[in-house]
Amino acid sequence: MQTKHLFITLLITTLMQATTFAQLPDQAKDISPLLYGEKIPEGVLTTPNGKNQKVSAIIGKKPTVLLVYRGGWCPYCNAHLAEIQEAESEILELGYQLVALSPDSPENLKTTDEKHRLNYSLYSDANGDFLKALGLAFQVPEKRAEMLSDRSNGKNEGFLPVPAVFVVDTSGTILFEYINPDYSTRISAGLLLAVLNELKNQNKND
């Protein structure tokens, strides 16, 4: 009897996971991300050292520039991370912290951090729960799934996030976002700084 109950439980769990995965859009252009004015959801992210942290605890420290990237294997992502780092001091002076997030495993985050000598915080969402809740995830062709599984220590079932930049306040409300299904096109550091300066001016006038 116990074996039968266990089988049924495993079957239900498998079907639920399959249903969730099947709901992901097949193409980047078909995602439905959260919008300006909405709040990003709660979630649990992992540091390069393997420590789990709640999203609310991370962003609750100060207003946050949240960078979502595909992984350390992506040259466009690496170039963008490096470009944003060049503007880090100015971003910090404006009162924001920089946080970057990808489906890479914590171990691969370390590799990215050491390779590019990033000063800001990297976090892993290897199973994609938070990225899916943001509405950024889409299903990739099977030929890419194996690589993504390796990069996430087997937790990524075949999804990628559309690269994005969110600016959120300490409550998680989205003040600005840049999302482009074309992964080769990113917001420049200069434009991001202009946005942050404008948001700061708006706060002064409120």
Side-chain angles (χ1 to χ4, degrees), residues 6-110:
L6 178 60
F7 174 76
I8 293 174
T9 300
L10 289 172
L11 179 60
I12 292 173
T13 301
T14 301
L15 288 173
M16 288 177 66
Q17 291 175 339
T19 300
T20 301
F21 187 63
Q23 290 174 345
L24 291 180
D26 292 329
Q27 299 183 57
K29 65 182 182 63
D30 294 326
I31 62 168
S32 298
L34 296 180
L35 302 175
Y36 167 82
E38 294 187 300
K39 285 194 174 184
I40 62 174
E42 182 63 282
V44 177
L45 306 177
T46 308
T47 69
N49 294 323
K51 181 181 179 181
N52 292 331
Q53 292 189 356
K54 287 186 176 181
V55 171
S56 58
I58 297 169
I59 65 173
K61 299 174 183 178
K62 58 170 56 179
T64 302
V65 177
L66 176 62
L67 309 175
V68 176
Y69 67 104
R70 304 196 303 165
W73 52 270
C74 171
Y76 294 98
C77 296
N78 290 330
H80 192 233
L81 291 175
E83 180 184 354
I84 298 301
Q85 172 154 298
E86 291 181 2
E88 181 193 30
S89 61
E90 295 171 87
I91 292 172
L92 296 179
E93 287 176 7
L94 289 169
Y96 292 87
Q97 65 173 341
L98 271 170
V99 171
L101 166 68
S102 80
D104 276 352
S105 67
E107 293 81 1
N108 281 311
L109 291 184
K110 281 186 177 181

